[in-house]
Amino acid sequence: MSLIRILIADDYADWRRQVLLLFQARPEWQVTAEAADGPEAIQKAEELKPDLIVLDIGLPKLNGIEAARRIRQSSPGSKIVFLSQNNDLDVVRAALGTGALGYVHKTDAQSELLLAVDTVLRGKQYVSSSLKNCEFADTSGEKAPHRHEALFYSDDKVFLDGFALFIAAALNDGNAAIVLVTKSHRGSLLQRLKAESVHVDGAIQQGTLILLDVADTLATLLVDGLLDPVRVFEGFSGLIQTASKAAKAEHPRVVICCECKGSLWAEGKTDAAIRLEQGCNELAKTYEVDLLCAYPSSVFHGQEDEHMFQSMCAEHSAVYSQ
């Protein structure tokens, strides 16, 4: 009987203890780690690559839905069951939209958690009986909500790890990636991708990995120092269509990893950076894309940047600082 390695993430120790007690009925289910907040759950998932993660939504520092999205990048083989007090249907749909297969309301945990885990381990979806009157099965056919995330990085290692995991997860799923990086980061990123077992040369030849230089790209998008939204939409539309055709997935998505906005911000062109973020959100209304934008933490200067900083953050579905 093969062991199933499990990570439990909940900020309440009593709930973690209850789950442990329930799982004692299945000796082949081995809880190998626990986490009390979102970043800790991501870290342990990346380190341990568990078979299953039981994940609360109301985690401190980073909520469970955003944590699940990050975990899907760093540990795509881990199956996820949400165990939450939240029964808001929009929240449930968002949770399942991360790729998680299970959602158990905590009031149903005693009677249903073991069945939910069994079901999810077989690759099937399980939703609490208290939510069964609502239809969730059809959401797989809907246009998935796009991710538009910002990474504020303190050093190059954080930047390279963030981009490499985002790109590798897409390529490993049969999707495509468009990557806009500075010349100083290009070589290191390619090496980091190879460390993630990405066949970089093959992906470039097949067209599933498109590499572009930040300075060259911005030169085509700016007119007299101002961002041209038509050029943004038309230029990226062509790239997205090309990458999507090269992708192998049945319903391909394209990830865009971009340093352009961070470069604009560093040059003092904060308005252009925000307009480019807005342009990316317009693209996401038409195409199946997910975006990761990188900003060096050093370009932000406290109160003097606060208004523009908040405007920029408002354009993203999630913001991370490391």
Side-chain angles (χ1 to χ4, degrees):
M1 188 180 298
S2 59
L3 290 176
I4 302 297
R5 297 168 301 110
I6 299 174
L7 166 65
I8 302 172
D10 197 299
D11 54 325
Y12 286 100
D14 285 346
W15 265 110
R16 299 198 302 272
R17 193 176 304 112
Q18 285 189 49
V19 174
L20 279 167
L21 290 172
L22 285 171
F23 285 179
Q24 285 180 359
R26 300 295 180 87
E28 71 275 21
W29 293 0
Q30 184 177 58
V31 176
T32 55
E34 299 179 28
D37 58 46
E40 186 181 14
I42 294 167
Q43 178 189 354
K44 290 189 174 179
E46 182 176 357
E47 290 175 355
L48 303 173
K49 301 290 191 295
D51 301 299
L52 180 91
I53 301 170
V54 178
L55 191 61
D56 186 23
I57 286 181
L59 294 173
K61 300 182 182 178
L62 186 70
N63 69 62
I65 291 175
E66 295 300 338
R69 289 173 178 150
R70 298 294 293 268
I71 288 168
R72 291 284 295 158
Q73 295 177 46
S74 60
S75 185
S78 299
K79 293 181 170 63
I80 297 174
V81 175
F82 279 99
L83 178 62
S84 173
Q85 293 278 22
N86 199 315
N87 61 359
D88 182 276
L89 300 186
D90 288 335
V91 173
V92 178
R93 289 191 178 95
L96 296 175
T98 65
L101 287 175
Y103 195 102
V104 177
H105 193 256
K106 284 184 173 178
T107 57
D108 300 323
Q110 193 70 31
S111 58
E112 297 187 28
L113 184 57
L114 297 184
L115 176 59
V117 171
D118 270 330
T119 304
V120 167
L121 288 173
R122 294 197 306 270
K124 303 295 184 182
Q125 186 185 85
Y126 187 95
V127 178
S128 262
S129 60
S130 58
L131 301 165
K132 282 286 172 63
N133 292 330
C134 306
E135 295 184 5
F136 297 103
D138 292 341
T139 59
S140 61
E142 297 176 358
K143 185 178 186 297
H146 79 279
R147 297 165 58 190
H148 186 183
E149 302 176 1
L151 170 65
F152 303 138
Y153 64 93
S154 55
D155 56 42
D156 281 355
K157 183 182 183 303
V158 172
F159 164 79
L160 293 169
D161 286 349
F163 266 35
L165 291 173
F166 205 81
I167 296 163
L171 296 178
N172 289 338
D173 285 342
N175 294 312
I178 299 168
V179 184
L180 302 98
V181 289
T182 59
K183 286 184 173 67
S184 62
H185 280 148
R186 180 182 172 118
S188 299
L189 179 60
L190 293 179
Q191 291 302 315
R192 183 66 179 78
L193 285 170
K194 290 176 182 178
E196 289 295 319
S197 301
V198 173
H199 183 20
V200 172
D201 295 335
I204 293 173
Q205 291 173 3
Q206 294 163 13
T208 55
L209 177 60
I210 298 174
L211 291 167
L212 299 170
D213 178 67
V214 167
D216 293 343
T217 301
L218 290 178
T220 67
L221 302 180
L222 297 170
V223 179
D224 297 327
L226 300 176
L227 191 76
D228 185 331
V230 175
R231 291 190 181 194
V232 171
F233 193 87
E234 291 180 350
F236 277 97
S237 290
L239 291 168
I240 293 167
Q241 290 169 16
T242 299
S244 183
K245 288 177 183 176
K248 298 175 182 177
E250 184 178 356
H251 302 290
R253 296 183 71 81
V254 177
V255 302
I256 301 175
C257 292
C258 182
E259 277 194 275
C260 292
K261 296 99 168 196
S263 294
L264 287 169
W265 202 285
E267 294 171 8
K269 299 174 181 175
T270 54
D271 185 65
I274 292 171
R275 289 185 181 278
L276 185 52
E277 297 286 16
Q278 293 168 343
C280 288
N281 282 328
E282 289 301 313
L283 285 163
K285 294 177 182 178
T286 303
Y287 302 104
E288 298 283 358
V289 295
D290 295 305
L291 304 104
L292 178 61
C293 309
Y295 291 81
S297 301
S298 59
V299 302
F300 300 106
H301 306 291
Q303 291 297 322
E304 61 190 271
D305 276 347
E306 183 64 23
H307 174 69
M308 298 299 285
F309 176 78
Q310 292 298 332
S311 297
M312 181 269 292
C313 289
E315 298 299 329
H316 294 88
S317 60
V319 175
Y320 308 104
S321 180
Q322 296 180 19

